[in-house]
Amino acid sequence: MTARVAKWPGVELSAADLLEGKVTQTRFRPDAKYAWSAGEAISRFLEELQAGRLIARTCHRCERILFPPRMFCEECFRPTDAWTYIRDTGTIETYSVSYLDTDAKRISEPILVGVVSLDGASPKMGMMHYFGEMTKDEIRIGMRVRAVWRPAEERKGSVLDIRYFRPLREGER
Amino acid sequence: MRKVGVIGAGMTIFRRRLQETGKEMCFEATRMALDSAGLSIGDVDMVVNGTAPDAFDGVHMKGEYLLDGCGGYRKPYTRVFTGGGTGVFSTIAGWWHVASGLADVVLVVNEEKMSSCQPHPQSVFAHIWDPILDRPLKPNLVWIFAMEMNRYMTVYGIKKEDIARVAVKNKRNAVGHPCAQLADANITVDDVLKSEVMAWPVQRLDISPPSDGASAVVLASDDFIRRRRIKDRAWISGVGWCIDSTMWTDRDLVFPEYVARAAKMAYGMAKVRDPRREIDFAEPYDPFDYKELHHLEGLLLAKKGEAPTLTREGVTQRDGDLPVCPSGGLMGVGNPIAATMGMKIGELFWQLTGQAGKRQIPHEVRTGVSQAWGDLMQYGCVVVMRA
Amino acid sequence: MTFLERTTDARRYRAWEGNMEADYIYTSGLAGQRFFVALRDEGRLLAARCTACGLDYLPPRIFCEECFAELTEFVPVPPEGQVASLTVAHQDRTGALASPPQVWAFVTFKGVRGGLLHRLLATPDAARPGMRVHIRVRPREARTGTIADIEGFEPARSTK
Ligand SMILES: [Zn+2]
Ligand SMILES: [Zn+2]
């Protein structure tokens, strides 16, 4: 059948056809604004970030320490049991060196970004964040890192209250 | 459960920009699928539509918007959505309509018009991240794949050139595909390695392009196929699907456990005991070159960390022992998310019925598997088909 | 079963504000191209015809929803239509007060399947379902090939 079809449907347009309006078209820019409720677990998580701490929830049944915190355990499908602070040090699980910003625009100074699993939480439990005080050639999976916090008066209760994670220094643990 | 066969398939060309509206693309693909099966719209009992986030086309309730182009007018009609997984999942939904005995003939129509989204579909991809935990960091969607690829490479010590071989193979395979957007007969591993670094380790030629396009398949019961004496049919012998934790920063990104679980479900149903020996060819989801490797391992067609070796040894070439993405895949034909059904389910149908033309696998193939991957790197679905 | 503990101080619940930025260009498609070029260049409405089913579709489309045939014939829509139903909008889409209130109508045409939604260029008191109307298009130089090339429907001269 694919060999028998003479012409496959579809009319291709060039970028100019579209962007310079060579075909009839309608333009629209939605303006949708939101306030996402943080809920029980993440409200507390944000409150603790503002205080310069990381907090997790424990599940007594599977004995995991869940981070980011949540009020129910997806493994056991039951409510989690207690709050517990974890450390602001951890290990780089993976990372990327990005030359793209959020809109896919090219940037010359790359962003170092990745996942940090945090000390005190169950293995692999972590968060996405930026890395700093290291170059793209120094960063590696398995690197030990620590959060660099914004000054208390600048914190707003956001993941951005941590500026980035930096390498653990000689003698630090 | 009743036996279900694929009896027709159609697709539009895949391009960065098509003039057709979403409905019009759906009509073109659907009309072609019906014609290839020798059916009219009156033969169709029910219709399933598959399409990814509304934000790409920029039309909310896109399923309703597309329905007349899908042939759904005044019929039982449903839209299904599992992110990128929709490319295979909508066929699973069509399958259960027929397997259950509810319908004899079902149309499955998938569509994506990503060119509507300006300046680039990337801008709405931002909205799939967690709004409180991830979005304040202004992530680009490529980051998450770059991080998964890096972890896969680091844990198994895989080199970039081993991954680039997948891009080369698929873009060359796509030369035989009449709908292909990025076929390239002369591309080399070096071209991929020298392409622009986007989010290391992801480079420009590691990524499939955003596309406009639609595809359609016709499913029918064995009863209907016998009654209408339909010759060109391929049977769906197993289906499976599975989703992992929504907390992506808690997952180990090295192995797609959710794909393995979906594959085991489908293999169980299809009575495939030793996938590597019993599966003749595969169409795993390849929006990035490393994903083909990742998914071959998830599909249990390669041992963990060994898919690059199969690729290097030529096993996955069209004339190899296990042809992988003989269609050209998303890397070569294009990636209008849900409409990639044309390469996943469509290609299995065309290969198993000997209609793949220039893309036909030179040796006889009797069992194929296709797989798609979606949501936030957490969803796998698998279909096993037999001649 | 519910959460084992809850905040009782509602002020501790947080919210994160943001928006969904997105920008779109919608092509009008194959049938839409025919429709909007005729509207822009000639100031008239076209329908797509299915001869098999004896149906003319407005807005035009490239397929018949009844028999699923491809449609390639385009025919003019009769100049005079009829208000099928109408509403008087006292707010615009942002919720701001519309002053004076705007009349919006769905207009159908004899022998044509479908119709068009647009402004009814009449006062709320004068507007009524069933009234005969025709389109008023913007001046040629103001027309760009979108639905806004139509200014609205105005009462047909015969009913004035
Ligand atoms: Zn638990
Ligand atoms: Zn018709």
Side-chain angles (χ1 to χ4, degrees):
Chain A
M1 142 88 195
T2 67
R4 293 203 300 267
V5 175
K7 190 188 175 302
W8 292 69
V11 179
E12 184 176 9
L13 298 178
S14 69
D17 289 338
L18 192 66
L19 300 176
E20 293 165 21
K22 290 179 186 167
V23 294
T24 59
Q25 57 184 245
T26 298
R27 295 186 179 218
F28 188 67
R29 184 191 243 303
D31 183 22
K33 291 188 169 62
Y34 296 86
W36 291 285
S37 164
E40 196 73 46
I42 299 301
S43 288
R44 177 70 187 272
F45 170 68
L46 297 176
E47 183 179 311
E48 295 292 348
L49 278 172
Q50 195 158 2
R53 293 186 295 242
L54 293 172
I55 198 162
R57 284 286 286 181
T58 54
C59 172
H60 290 168
R61 180 165 309 167
C62 62
E63 300 184 322
R64 290 191 306 161
I65 299 169
L66 303 163
F67 181 85
R70 49 257 201 193
M71 301 310 289
F72 58 91
C73 171
E74 73 277 7
E75 286 273 351
C76 309
F77 210 60
R78 59 181 291 280
T80 48
D81 299 282
W83 294 103
T84 183
Y85 290 108
I86 59 170
R87 300 182 57 193
D88 69 350
T89 54
T91 305
I92 297 181
E93 291 291 328
T94 187
Y95 67 89
S96 173
V97 179
S98 181
Y99 294 86
L100 296 180
D101 76 359
T102 187
D103 293 322
K105 279 199 292 287
R106 305 305 193 265
I107 45 178
S108 52
E109 212 34 59
I111 300 167
L112 303 184
V113 63
V115 177
V116 181
S117 63
L118 290 147
D119 297 340
S122 288
K124 306 288 179 204
M125 295 253 159
M127 68 191 299
M128 176 166 72
H129 223 295
Y130 304 126
F131 300 108
E133 300 178 34
M134 62 182 92
T135 68
K136 68 180 173 60
D137 301 313
E138 288 162 352
I139 188 171
R140 57 182 169 75
I141 288 177
M143 196 177 207
R144 300 280 298 146
V145 290
R146 159 161 284 159
V148 174
W149 295 85
R150 279 183 203 284
E153 63 279 11
E154 285 179 21
R155 291 185 214 139
K156 296 189 174 94
S158 148
V159 290
L160 299 175
D161 292 346
I162 294 174
R163 290 175 58 209
Y164 55 81
F165 283 81
R166 63 156 173 86
L168 275 193
R169 296 187 185 119
E170 207 54 39
E172 240 183 346
R173 55 176 299 279
Chain B
M1 283 187 298
R2 298 201 300 172
K3 211 171 154 183
V4 183
V6 178
I7 60 169
M11 61 193 284
T12 64
I13 56 172
F14 289 177
R15 291 294 183 271
R16 180 69 183 86
R17 297 164 202 86
L18 290 180
Q19 184 173 11
E20 283 89 338
T21 61
K23 292 165 187 265
E24 290 177 340
M25 294 194 292
C26 286
F27 168 74
E28 290 172 335
T30 306
R31 187 68 258 174
M32 182 185 242
L34 283 172
D35 288 346
S36 85
L39 264 55
S40 70
I41 194 72
D43 294 317
V44 175
D45 298 320
M46 299 184 185
V47 180
V48 175
N49 165 245
T51 188
D54 288 348
F56 292 128
D57 289 39
V59 179
H60 271 310
M61 306 202 301
K62 214 200 305 184
E64 286 76 356
Y65 167 73
L66 297 172
L67 84 91
D68 50 353
C70 300
Y73 166 70
R74 291 190 171 171
K75 291 188 191 296
Y77 172 89
T78 323
R79 171 196 183 176
V80 296
F81 170 77
T82 56
T86 313
V88 164
F89 183 73
S90 58
T91 297
I92 298 180
W95 168 85
W96 76 54
H97 283 62
V98 181
S100 64
L102 210 52
D104 261 329
V105 178
V106 168
L107 261 174
V108 181
V109 187
N110 285 13
E111 178 270 1
E112 223 70 60
K113 185 160 165 108
M114 301 176 77
S115 67
S116 305
C117 189
Q118 298 291 323
H120 193 280
Q122 273 295 340
S123 53
V124 298
F125 267 127
H127 311 144
I128 77 172
W129 298 85
D130 185 291
I132 301 173
L133 299 176
D134 297 331
R135 270 193 67 190
L137 295 165
K138 297 185 180 302
N140 180 294
L141 192 70
V142 178
W143 290 5
I144 200 170
F145 306 119
M147 290 187 244
E148 188 179 64
M149 180 170 170
N150 189 8
R151 188 145 175 85
Y152 178 61
M153 288 170 60
T154 304
V155 169
Y156 296 130
I158 296 166
K159 293 196 182 72
K160 275 227 63 181
E161 51 259 46
D162 281 336
I163 291 175
R165 278 193 184 87
V166 174
V168 170
K169 168 178 68 72
N170 292 2
K171 286 172 192 294
R172 288 186 179 187
N173 279 353
V175 170
H177 204 298
C179 302
Q181 180 177 349
L182 280 187
D184 187 343
N186 302 312
I187 188 170
T188 63
V189 166
D190 223 36
D191 293 336
V192 180
L193 297 179
K194 284 185 177 149
S195 63
E196 179 193 8
V197 177
M198 301 181 82
W200 192 89
V202 173
Q203 291 173 257
R204 167 163 284 289
L205 293 177
D206 293 315
I207 312 188
S208 60
S211 318
D212 289 356
S215 60
V217 297
V218 187
L219 310 183
S221 64
D222 55 346
D223 213 36
F224 182 90
I225 291 172
R226 211 176 314 114
R227 210 165 56 233
R228 297 286 280 260
R229 295 195 178 84
I230 291 167
K231 292 280 180 305
D232 290 328
R233 83 286 177 281
W235 302 105
I236 295 178
S237 44
V239 300
W241 63 103
C242 180
I243 194 161
D244 207 333
S245 164
T246 193
M247 297 282 188
W248 73 273
T249 53
D250 292 355
R251 295 199 296 264
D252 190 348
L253 304 173
V254 173
F255 181 73
E257 176 62 28
Y258 45 93
V259 173
R261 287 174 187 245
K264 284 173 189 162
M265 177 178 165
Y267 293 152
M269 194 183 299
K271 299 191 171 53
V272 170
R273 279 168 203 88
D274 181 353
R276 178 66 188 86
R277 289 175 44 146
E278 294 172 53
I279 299 290
D280 298 328
F281 72 109
E283 276 286 343
Y285 211 60
D286 62 324
F288 293 77
D289 43 12
Y290 84 95
K291 286 311 297 185
E292 172 172 311
L293 304 170
H294 217 222
H295 290 150
L296 282 175
E297 294 172 17
L299 287 166
L300 314 173
L301 295 172
K303 294 201 182 76
K304 290 180 182 177
E306 290 184 5
T309 314
L310 291 188
T311 310
R312 191 167 54 234
E313 291 170 352
V315 174
T316 60
Q317 292 287 343
R318 189 181 282 136
D319 58 0
D321 186 48
L322 177 69
V324 176
C325 290
S327 65
L330 283 59
M331 290 296 298
V333 185
N335 187 5
I337 312 202
T340 58
M341 177 173 74
M343 288 88 75
K344 300 301 153 190
I345 303 299
E347 187 71 6
L348 256 58
F349 167 70
W350 285 318
Q351 290 286 351
L352 291 168
T353 54
Q355 302 182 78
K358 287 181 197 151
R359 303 187 312 286
Q360 190 69 43
I361 296 167
H363 53 272
E364 193 194 10
V365 286
R366 301 201 49 80
T367 306
V369 65
S370 73
Q371 172 261 335
W373 169 71
D375 295 335
L376 205 59
M377 306 205 301
Q378 67 196 132
Y379 177 83
C381 52
V382 175
V383 167
V384 177
M385 280 168 61
R386 288 205 172 94
Chain C
M1 200 184 254
T2 180
F3 299 156
L4 295 180
E5 63 180 294
R6 265 179 202 286
T7 302
T8 50
D9 181 353
R11 287 167 300 188
R12 290 178 64 187
Y13 284 116
R14 300 197 176 215
W16 185 264
E17 289 183 33
N19 58 0
M20 297 243 283
E21 354 28 31
D23 212 350
Y24 295 98
I25 300 178
Y26 303 100
T27 61
S28 41
L30 304 183
Q33 182 76 12
R34 291 289 296 265
F35 179 74
F36 285 116
V37 166
L39 178 62
R40 182 189 65 196
D41 296 352
E42 301 163 44
R44 62 185 186 130
L45 301 178
L46 289 183
R49 172 164 291 176
C50 178
T51 36
C53 299
L55 284 171
D56 292 342
Y57 286 100
L58 177 72
R61 50 183 84 181
I62 63 164
F63 54 91
C64 172
E65 66 184 12
E66 295 284 347
C67 70
F68 218 55
E70 186 174 350
L71 306 183
T72 50
E73 192 186 346
F74 292 82
V75 297
V77 171
E80 234 178 66
Q82 192 170 22
V83 172
S85 190
L86 60 85
T87 183
V88 180
H90 291 260
Q91 293 181 347
D92 70 13
R93 69 185 172 90
T94 66
L97 211 58
S99 176
Q102 295 181 348
V103 188
W104 287 86
F106 182 66
V107 173
T108 56
F109 298 84
K110 200 168 187 302
V112 174
R113 176 178 285 203
L116 285 181
L117 169 76
H118 222 296
R119 281 286 296 276
L120 184 59
L121 304 171
T123 61
D125 294 341
R128 58 186 162 72
M131 70 194 289
R132 315 288 308 171
V133 294
H134 58 78
I135 58 166
R136 185 202 290 170
V137 292
R138 292 187 189 283
R140 175 64 191 88
E141 60 279 7
R143 301 204 292 260
T144 58
T146 74
I147 197 68
D149 289 357
I150 301 173
E151 215 169 306
F153 289 103
E154 55 189 1
R157 279 167 279 277
S158 53
T159 57
K160 265 183 186 166

